[in-house]
Amino acid sequence: MAKATQPDQPLDLTDFFSAAEARTDRWRQLCALGRAWESAVATAQADAPLHAAVAKLFAELSPLESYWAYPGPRLCAAVAEAIEERNAGVFARLVQKISATLLTGAYRYESAAWDPLQENDGRAGDVLPPDLQAGELHKPYFEVLVVTPNDPSTWDRARAELKRLRRGEDAFNYEIVQVGSFEDGVLGTIFNHNVQAVVIYDGFRFPSRHDLPGLRDFLLRARHVEASALQPGAMATTLARMVKNYRPELDLFLLTDRAVESLAGSEEAAPFRRIFHAVDEVMELHLAILEGINERYDTPFFSNLKRYAQRPVGTFHALPLARGKSVFRSNWIRDMGQFYGTNLFLAESSATTGGLDSLLEPTGNIKKAQELAARAFGAQRAYFATNGTSTSNKIVVQGICKPGDIVIVDRNCHKSHHYGFVLTGAQPYYVEAYPLTQYSMYGAVPLRTIKQALLDCKAEGHLDRVKVVDLTNCTFDGHVYNTKRVMEECLAIKPDLIFLWDEAWFGFARFNPFHRRRTAMGAAAALAARYREPAYRDEYKKFAAKAGKLDPKNAKLLDLHLFPDPDKVRIRVYETNSTHKSMSALRQGSMILVWDEDFHLVEGPFEEAFFTHTSTSPNQQIIASLDVARRQMELEGYELTMRAVELALKLRREVNGHPLISKYFHIATPADMIPAEFRASGVVDYGRPHSTWREVLEAWDDDEFALDPTRLTLVCGGAGFDGTQFKTLLADRFDIQINKTSRNSILVQTNINNTRSDVALLIKVLADLSHEIEHRLAQGGAAERAAFAARVKSLMTDVPDLPNFSRFHTAFRDNPKAASNEGHMRPAFFLAYDEANCEFVPLASTEIDARLKKGPELVSANFVIPYPPGFPIMVPGQVITAETIAFMRKLDVKEIHGYHAAHGLKLLKPAVLAARKTSRVDR
Ligand SMILES: Cc1ncc(COP(=O)(O)O)c(C=O)c1O
């Protein structure tokens, strides 16, 4: 077992996922050392070791600081001077000031923060809710990274010159960070999340000015190119491509004395927002930088709603609450007005006029807001939904499927997919995810299984009816598909397949390069580009020559990497995400993102589906929050998502490495959650000693499945708690809320809102509970220990087998003998609307056992969805097997949708099924 990390032991730079977090951590260390040094000097103790430690840590930190505007050269020089002069008091004061200012972000608007001689306690940052903070809101702040060939001795002057261009009327404030090389340009982009624009002056050198292995490691993580691989004269454009690849949201500008006219129209220039000739355009550059930020800051719907709220509008339509008049004048509900504040009511309207737009038929600012969302998420189109991803999924399913179409779908998909099939009459072909029986949960569906399903349909001659592959990415528990690989191989079998990726939990993933590679939209863009490349044609030709015609009976195809025909392949990808689950949207705010090269084929049906499921009174605030959430992610998504990952990694390290906590609790590692056969990389856990970050990134590129580190399965069965019990305990005793549980685990997730204090809280609670258990076991004697061991065994070892989808009853199958298992779920669902067609049999009854043995078959009349785990263990028309009954009987959760213990299982009567067998309808 690994040793607990000492809180005061700085991790090596390469151990950090996020370089920005590494840096903050070092300032915290430096602050603690500074205090110790000052106190040693004050009490006349020997201070040489502390002085040496301070000097060493600051020397390590200094190169990182060259990528940030704050504290900047002046403050850093003052700190270095204090070290040089052995002035512990000045050092401690300065470092405290810088460290606190970095934490609160006060440097963004407080000029005293930048001055070594002025006091600022750094605490005045934007840490309070804006309505509790006095004064105007500050202008948003950002940094511009300038990559320049000029000598560093000229940088101060150049910075001052650019700074002079700033004017009071500018909407944003920025500072400049200069670097002098290709490598430092890449590192600046990786390290500094404040950077929003990169200005590249042609002619800079290649190597970094810092020769540190830690920095090199970060470069290599970003798929660094070596100098030797660069085409002559292509340094600036290659740098731009790398930066754009890493952080696509950034604005890039090139200043060059090359022939800008011909360059501007070339492929190479694509990453640049603008190209300027030489240096005589500084004012234009300044304005272009601000304009670029403004385009991301722009929230057409939200901004308009704010303006609308300020107008004196007389309302003669529904929604009495709009403008607040029914609330503010009320004798009885004024507290509602007080609680929510005036603006909520002023910004309410049921109108779509007056500058507001209609979600159902957007032509104005909702349309614009959706276009901006499409840009931000790398999609061709985006649609807002105000009733959660439950609705988005139904819209997509109905938009792309018609009755009789076959959908290859993970049975563990959220219930909205299954209801979507009922509504449209599409036939689900259920494919199984690999089970994680030990935690009573499922993983994700292996690619082999999906390919087998497609090949089965091909063998049976109805591949043409297979319309969609529908999967959850990432799953509730964090299993992430290799989206590119899955789509590539499926498209090799059917080149016009549509993919629906339910990324309810994964919307944030677009905004950092680690997660992005496994998103639906990231993969769609990558594949679209790949199939356009001439090199791909060669790759395909070689494959086609080797594989020949794809024979669906050829089992070897399951293990062969299949390639689609570039002349036939179409990229048709739909992604739904619960913006409210991982970004700053109000509850129910969701988006549908589309990359469909044949969207024109479904545009009409998609619109119908949108109309079917969208309220004619969509909530204005939800729409506005989607607009704002997009703004936030485009401007600070990189910072926030990188931090969320780093927090998750801290939590993982602390819990699994803590000598006491890890006796009772464990956070499931990638190796625990993903069987070795799907982890070709062999990576078992994040970070050393298990793996380097580069190895993890390679695993994320190539492995069949990866585990999202921000989704932490905390196994509590070892402490004698079942998931539901532990969730309740955390909420009741410690005010800690979590979402999902399994038989012996809870799911903890870190999000863009979490802080180090949250992590500390959870660790403290786990430590306290572990102490309590130790104490109880020590005090309670043998009987207590035996009872505890028995409880742990029942939770951790005596786990029920997870039931697979059995099959649809023959009454709901076109060809009951076929290997493919799709069935008509809609008629089964609606048969149950007539009570005369149904019967109820108690779960514990002997009748169930007798019928399982001798028939007639038990056929479910409806969906039965236990929470947890939340997937349907029975769907309408499904034959119920002994495994399903055993699982149901062992299930100890209270909430089972579609099952009422007092009535028993709702079944379709055998006579009804027999009668139906003769009628072949429903397509
Ligand atoms: C995978 C998945 N898809 C869709 C949904 C539904 O999302 P929403 O709550 O936004 O309706 C959920 C909800 O938990 C989910 O887990």
Side-chain angles (χ1 to χ4, degrees):
M1 188 183 298
K3 277 209 338 249
T5 317
Q6 295 297 318
D8 283 315
Q9 209 58 46
L11 284 174
D12 196 87
L13 188 59
T14 49
D15 287 330
F16 278 89
F17 172 72
S18 151
E21 293 299 309
R23 171 203 184 219
T24 320
D25 203 66
R26 270 152 177 69
W27 278 106
R28 188 184 56 77
Q29 289 282 332
L30 207 56
C31 217
L33 278 175
R35 278 196 299 271
W37 182 27
E38 188 182 23
S39 135
V41 171
T43 53
Q45 293 172 38
D47 74 327
L50 282 165
H51 175 252
V54 156
K56 179 165 176 285
L57 190 54
F58 186 67
E60 231 183 277
L61 186 58
S62 296
L64 304 193
E65 288 315 317
S66 65
Y67 302 110
W68 296 85
Y70 185 85
R74 197 165 155 220
L75 274 165
C76 280
V79 174
E81 199 177 298
I83 298 175
E84 178 79 25
E85 291 174 356
R86 300 184 79 102
N87 191 334
V90 169
F91 175 84
R93 183 184 66 75
L94 281 172
V95 172
Q96 165 66 29
K97 168 191 170 98
I98 295 169
S99 171
T101 306
L102 283 172
L103 282 180
T104 60
Y107 62 88
R108 297 190 189 115
Y109 47 84
E110 212 179 281
S111 56
W114 296 77
D115 188 339
L117 302 176
Q118 281 195 56
E119 286 303 326
N120 81 299
D121 62 6
R123 269 187 281 277
D126 287 329
V127 288
L128 291 175
D131 64 334
L132 297 183
Q133 209 151 320
E136 297 261 303
L137 286 183
H138 305 288
K139 278 187 193 178
Y141 166 95
F142 65 95
E143 292 174 17
V144 176
L145 183 69
V146 175
V147 187
T148 166
N150 294 339
D151 192 84
S153 62
T154 64
W155 289 2
D156 276 352
R157 205 188 58 227
R159 223 173 29 246
E161 268 169 22
L162 279 173
K163 241 174 137 163
R164 270 214 307 277
L165 299 170
R166 299 193 323 199
R167 296 172 306 164
E169 56 264 46
D170 294 342
F172 314 103
N173 236 338
Y174 68 88
E175 291 288 339
I176 289 152
V177 186
Q178 290 134 310
V179 293
S181 71
F182 183 99
E183 292 190 333
D184 288 321
V186 178
L187 287 168
T189 313
I190 299 173
F191 277 35
N192 186 344
H193 49 238
N194 283 341
V195 165
Q196 299 293 350
V198 182
V199 177
I200 299 175
Y201 286 84
D202 228 349
F204 48 85
R205 56 195 226 123
F206 185 84
S208 166
R209 59 200 271 232
H210 312 289
D211 189 16
L212 289 177
L215 296 185
R216 181 136 297 274
D217 190 68
F218 276 94
L219 275 177
L220 294 172
R221 292 187 205 176
R223 299 198 175 107
H224 186 49
V225 286
E226 292 303 333
S228 53
L230 288 178
Q231 299 287 336
M235 200 119 89
T237 47
T238 311
L239 174 61
R241 215 166 355 94
M242 278 195 72
V243 168
K244 228 24 193 177
N245 196 28
Y246 198 78
R247 290 177 63 186
E249 69 280 8
L250 297 188
D251 295 319
L252 308 191
F253 301 92
L254 176 66
L255 282 97
T256 178
D257 51 13
R258 283 196 264 169
V260 283
E261 302 78 5
S262 56
L263 181 64
S266 70
E267 263 297 293
E268 285 174 290
F272 292 105
R273 185 180 167 85
R274 274 195 69 177
I275 296 178
F276 294 100
H277 188 236
V279 287
D280 50 7
E281 302 268 17
V282 273
M283 191 63 195
E284 284 302 305
L285 174 64
H286 165 76
L287 294 174
I289 289 171
L290 291 181
E291 187 189 55
I293 303 301
N294 199 40
E295 279 184 16
R296 277 180 271 160
Y297 188 80
D298 185 22
T299 37
F301 185 77
F302 173 60
S303 306
N304 200 58
L305 195 62
K306 284 198 290 182
R307 276 193 294 276
Y308 173 85
Q310 284 165 3
R311 288 171 41 201
V313 181
T315 61
F316 290 95
H317 51 65
L319 202 72
L321 171 148
R323 318 303 294 176
K325 288 181 198 164
S326 72
V327 177
F328 303 154
R329 291 201 220 118
S330 163
N331 195 22
W332 296 101
I333 64 168
R334 275 176 67 79
D335 61 334
M336 183 189 189
Q338 186 186 37
F339 181 70
Y340 287 111
T342 314
N343 279 338
L344 178 69
F345 303 96
L346 292 181
E348 265 307 340
S349 172
S350 67
T352 54
T353 50
L356 299 173
D357 197 3
S358 159
L359 182 63
L360 289 151
E361 200 85 64
T363 52
N365 43 50
I366 293 184
K367 182 166 184 281
K368 182 82 201 304
Q370 292 184 154
E371 283 163 9
L372 296 185
R375 173 191 71 193
F377 285 87
Q380 292 174 335
R381 290 157 195 270
Y383 294 86
F384 291 170
T386 58
N387 192 18
T389 297
S390 305
T391 291
S392 299
N393 286 334
K394 282 178 255 183
I395 292 173
V396 177
V397 169
Q398 185 181 324
I400 58 182
C401 295
K402 60 182 189 318
D405 284 346
I406 296 172
V407 180
I408 294 178
V409 55
D410 178 358
R411 199 258 314 232
N412 308 302
C413 273
H414 185 259
K415 59 186 187 171
S416 48
H417 299 260
H418 308 273
Y419 281 108
F421 308 142
V422 167
L423 294 174
T424 57
Q427 295 183 40
Y429 180 160
Y430 285 119
V431 282
E432 295 292 338
Y434 64 80
L436 286 165
T437 313
Q438 70 276 29
Y439 304 132
S440 280
M441 62 172 77
Y442 276 95
V445 186
L447 178 53
R448 262 178 139 262
T449 308
I450 302 168
K451 284 163 70 176
Q452 181 72 67
L454 286 166
L455 292 170
D456 284 349
C457 291
K458 185 168 165 136
E460 279 150 27
H462 57 235
L463 188 60
D464 57 319
R465 280 174 48 214
V466 180
K467 199 69 173 287
V468 184
V469 170
D470 183 355
L471 299 166
T472 307
N473 187 54
C474 65
T475 66
F476 217 136
D477 303 294
H479 303 93
V480 194
Y481 282 85
N482 190 333
T483 43
K484 255 186 285 190
R485 181 74 182 262
V486 170
M487 294 201 279
E488 173 146 307
E489 294 219 33
C490 290
L491 288 169
I493 302 172
K494 187 162 196 280
D496 62 348
L497 258 184
I498 303 178
F499 296 86
L500 167 52
W501 294 99
D502 179 341
E503 296 195 346
W505 297 102
F506 212 47
F508 74 96
R510 164 77 189 169
F511 297 94
N512 72 67
F514 176 63
H515 285 97
R516 189 184 310 123
R517 68 191 77 207
R518 282 186 177 240
T519 59
M521 287 302 124
L527 291 181
R530 171 169 158 79
Y531 301 142
R532 277 198 303 269
E533 289 288 325
Y536 178 74
R537 290 192 167 269
D538 296 339
E539 206 175 341
Y540 174 72
K541 264 192 213 137
K542 275 193 212 122
F543 161 76
K546 190 166 121 201
K549 203 163 172 301
L550 299 190
D551 171 7
K553 298 265 187 257
N554 178 1
K556 286 196 184 127
L557 295 185
L558 297 178
D559 295 314
L560 189 66
H561 184 151
L562 307 179
F563 294 86
D565 182 341
D567 289 327
K568 296 195 178 134
V569 72
R570 309 298 296 161
I571 305 295
R572 310 194 64 185
V573 186
Y574 291 73
E575 186 246 276
T576 52
N577 78 65
S578 293
T579 321
H580 68 99
K581 288 196 205 297
S582 70
M583 292 164 268
S584 297
L586 291 174
R587 197 155 163 82
Q588 299 190 0
S590 169
M591 288 187 200
I592 300 168
L593 304 170
V594 182
W595 183 302
D596 185 351
E597 293 174 351
D598 287 329
F599 189 70
H600 62 99
L601 297 178
V602 292
E603 190 155 8
F606 188 89
E607 197 176 73
E608 289 293 351
F610 198 84
F611 290 157
T612 308
H613 297 284
T614 302
S615 164
T616 41
S617 310
N619 184 296
Q620 310 281 11
Q621 317 317 321
I622 297 179
I623 301 171
S625 74
L626 287 167
D627 202 12
V628 177
R630 188 272 311 151
R631 178 211 286 176
Q632 175 175 44
M633 296 314 279
E634 268 197 312
L635 287 159
E636 53 186 358
Y638 175 64
E639 171 187 2
L640 298 178
T641 59
M642 293 294 278
R643 183 188 303 150
V645 176
E646 195 73 64
L647 286 179
L649 295 168
K650 270 199 181 86
L651 203 47
R652 287 177 176 275
R653 243 185 340 251
E654 289 301 324
V655 170
N656 289 355
H658 193 288
L660 176 61
I661 297 177
S662 64
K663 269 173 84 174
Y664 302 105
F665 299 95
H666 173 70
I667 293 181
T669 61
D672 295 326
M673 299 289 279
I674 303 170
E677 60 187 295
F678 306 123
R679 269 182 301 106
S681 66
V683 164
V684 294
D685 201 355
Y686 300 108
R688 287 191 289 182
H690 311 287
S691 57
T692 64
W693 274 108
R694 256 186 289 153
E695 286 162 348
V696 171
L697 291 172
E698 274 166 28
W700 269 64
D701 275 337
D702 299 328
D703 279 356
E704 179 158 356
F705 297 112
L707 180 70
D708 177 2
T710 69
R711 304 189 73 77
L712 305 102
T713 294
L714 175 63
V715 184
C716 52
F721 300 112
D722 68 54
T724 315
Q725 193 187 9
F726 194 54
K727 172 178 168 170
T728 314
L729 176 102
L730 288 180
D732 292 352
R733 254 184 79 185
F734 302 104
D735 279 331
I736 292 178
Q737 295 179 355
I738 56 107
N739 193 308
K740 182 196 176 256
T741 60
S742 80
R743 181 180 172 81
N744 50 23
S745 72
I746 61 165
L747 181 79
V748 175
Q749 58 188 99
T750 58
N751 242 317
I752 61 167
N753 61 329
N754 285 115
T755 61
R756 294 177 67 162
S757 310
D758 297 334
V759 170
L761 171 66
L762 186 60
I763 290 170
K764 169 97 174 64
V765 165
L766 296 179
D768 288 352
L769 288 172
S770 304
H771 276 298
E772 280 176 23
I773 297 168
E774 291 267 290
H775 185 71
R776 205 177 71 227
L777 294 180
Q779 302 283 305
E784 180 71 39
R785 285 194 291 279
F788 181 77
R791 171 83 178 140
V792 171
K793 180 167 175 297
S794 100
L795 289 169
M796 301 293 288
T797 319
D798 304 339
V799 285
D801 274 340
L802 296 169
N804 277 350
F805 175 75
S806 51
R807 61 190 164 82
F808 283 107
H809 187 267
T810 49
F812 303 109
R813 309 231 23 221
D814 289 338
N815 176 7
K817 294 211 169 61
S820 61
N821 78 21
E822 75 278 0
H824 296 276
M825 194 158 67
R826 182 164 68 173
F829 181 88
F830 285 110
L831 272 178
Y833 272 38
D834 187 348
E835 282 295 315
N837 290 334
C838 302
E839 58 182 348
F840 289 90
V841 183
L843 182 61
S845 68
T846 50
E847 185 186 339
I848 295 245
D849 298 290
R851 281 179 63 174
L852 280 174
K853 276 204 194 94
K854 298 207 173 108
E857 282 177 320
L858 305 159
V859 176
S860 185
N862 58 353
F863 287 107
V864 176
I865 305 176
Y867 264 86
F871 60 83
I873 56 170
M874 297 174 202
V875 306
Q878 179 187 340
V879 174
I880 300 170
T881 57
E883 291 74 37
T884 311
I885 294 296
F887 183 77
M888 278 288 278
R889 285 177 176 166
K890 270 203 170 182
L891 211 62
D892 43 12
V893 298
K894 292 200 189 70
E895 203 178 324
I896 306 179
H897 300 175
Y899 170 73
H900 302 284
H903 298 156
L905 293 175
K906 188 173 181 181
L907 305 176
L908 291 172
K909 285 181 180 164
V912 172
L913 297 166
R916 216 194 107 76
K917 250 190 228 171
T918 52
S919 61
R920 287 266 154 268
V921 275
D922 311 320
R923 273 227 244 138

